[in-house]
């Protein structure tokens, strides 16, 4: 795909990630902050350090801090997804740029968000042993890497099987292989259940579902925005549409 303007796609990917980050921030603020506040209240009930002064206030953490983290994450992931789009474009048959962007976003949502979440869901404050945080973080990123690599292997496997089995059967075989491989990873990787006694189960699951919703909204927003941007960049405009656009522009200028 040497004809693909990589720099232009990278810029559009980062822009789409930024705009998707705005959507994800709204979801995080509306759905994620209430269970975080409830978890902090539970933590403070059993804490003996009420007099300690916070370096960053809770108000800043839940607004500017949250927005900065999500927006920077959106920009970074948008750039990575744009590079993946450059590699994938034209390799999924005759589907266009918008559909390819949608597939990239869907694949990222499944491999980077859903698969790790089912094994290692996010924890609110007061949940989790501080002594295992390093191990839990390493295992979480290991599972993300395994999920992405297995997904790529499943795509390659499916494409090689397609001439013999047909597209449908090859896709089913590739998905089944991915599910089995992920199931084995789930079985061999350790699990953690470190919720403190008395912690409200409703708060725990509200936080976890909100965390998943934030990630899914980020990738959904990215897919929609990036798909629109690359469609305009890569798909030639029809002559009729171009003439209509030029006439509209001239009429607007005349007024």
């Amino acid at each position: 795909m040497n004809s693909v303007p990589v720099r232009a796609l990278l810029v559009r990917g980062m822009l789409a990630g930024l705009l998707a980050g705005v959507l994800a921030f709204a979801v995080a603020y509306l759905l994620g902050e209430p269970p975080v506040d409830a978890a902090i209240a539970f933590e403070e009930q059993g804490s003996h350090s009420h007099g300690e002064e916070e370096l960053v206030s809770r108000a800043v953490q839940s607004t500017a801090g949250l927005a900065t983290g999500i927006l920077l994450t959106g920009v970074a992931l948008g750039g990575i997804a744009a590079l993946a789009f450059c590699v994938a474009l034209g390799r999924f048959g005759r589907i266009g740029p918008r559909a390819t962007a949608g597939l990239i976003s869907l694949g990222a949502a499944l491999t980077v968000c859903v698969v790790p979440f089912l094994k290692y869901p996010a924890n609110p404050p007061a949940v989790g042993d501080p002594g295992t945080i390093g191990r839990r973080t390493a295992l979480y990123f290991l599972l993300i890497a395994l999920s992405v690599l297995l997904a790529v292997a499943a795509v390659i496997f499916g494409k090689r099987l397609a001439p013999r089995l047909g597209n449908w059967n090859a896709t089913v075989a590739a998905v089944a292989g991915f599910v089995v491989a992920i199931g084995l990873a789930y079985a061999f990787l350790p699990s953690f259940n470190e919720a403190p006694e008395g912690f409200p189960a409703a708060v725990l699951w509200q936080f976890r579902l909100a965390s998943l919703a934030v990630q899914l909204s980020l990738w959904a927003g990215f897919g929609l925005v990036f798909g629109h941007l690359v469609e305009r960049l890569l798909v030639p405009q029809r002559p009729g549409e171009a003439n209509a656009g030029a006439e509209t522009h001239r009429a607007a200028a005349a007024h």
Side-chain angles (χ1 to χ4, degrees):
M1 305 302 299
N2 294 330
S3 61
V4 176
V6 177
R7 182 178 179 182
L9 289 173
L10 181 62
V11 171
R12 283 162 175 77
M14 296 173 70
L15 175 60
L18 178 65
L19 296 177
V22 174
L23 173 62
F25 167 71
V27 174
Y29 186 79
L30 294 175
L31 299 183
E33 286 306 305
V36 169
D37 289 335
I40 292 175
F42 176 87
E43 186 177 34
E44 289 178 346
Q45 288 178 358
S47 173
H48 300 286
S49 58
H50 299 284
E52 291 185 359
E53 184 178 353
E54 293 181 327
L55 294 177
V56 180
S57 69
R58 175 70 186 129
V60 174
Q61 293 175 12
S62 62
T63 53
L66 180 64
T68 301
I70 292 179
L71 293 179
L72 289 177
T73 300
V75 171
L77 292 179
I80 295 172
L83 296 178
F85 174 87
C86 295
V87 176
L89 185 61
R91 300 180 185 273
F92 293 118
R94 297 182 178 180
I95 67 174
R98 189 189 293 266
T100 302
L103 285 177
I104 292 293
S105 300
L106 177 61
L110 291 175
T111 58
V112 179
C113 303
V114 176
V115 170
F117 172 83
L118 294 177
K119 180 66 178 179
Y120 300 120
N123 287 329
V127 175
D129 183 0
T132 64
I133 187 171
R135 188 183 180 203
R136 286 185 281 118
T137 302
L139 289 171
Y140 178 78
F141 283 106
L142 173 62
L143 187 53
I144 290 178
L146 284 174
S147 179
V148 172
L149 291 175
L150 288 172
V152 172
V155 171
I156 296 173
F157 181 65
K159 289 179 67 68
R160 292 186 177 181
L161 287 180
R164 288 183 292 172
L165 302 181
N167 290 332
W168 176 257
N169 291 333
T171 300
V172 171
V175 171
F178 175 79
V179 171
V180 170
I182 289 296
L184 291 174
Y186 281 2
F188 284 101
L189 290 175
S191 299
F192 299 91
N193 184 14
E194 300 175 342
E197 183 178 355
F199 190 87
V203 172
L204 178 61
W205 280 105
Q206 286 171 8
F207 176 85
R208 288 178 172 177
L209 292 179
S211 176
L212 182 61
V214 170
Q215 297 181 69
L216 293 180
S217 64
L218 178 65
W219 285 111
F222 173 81
L224 292 174
V225 175
F226 187 63
H228 172 71
L229 294 177
V230 296
E231 186 88 1
R232 295 188 60 182
L233 175 67
L234 299 177
V235 177
Q237 194 175 29
R238 295 176 183 176
E241 295 176 350
N243 293 335
E247 292 176 2
T248 301
H249 180 71
R250 285 196 295 268
H255 290 289

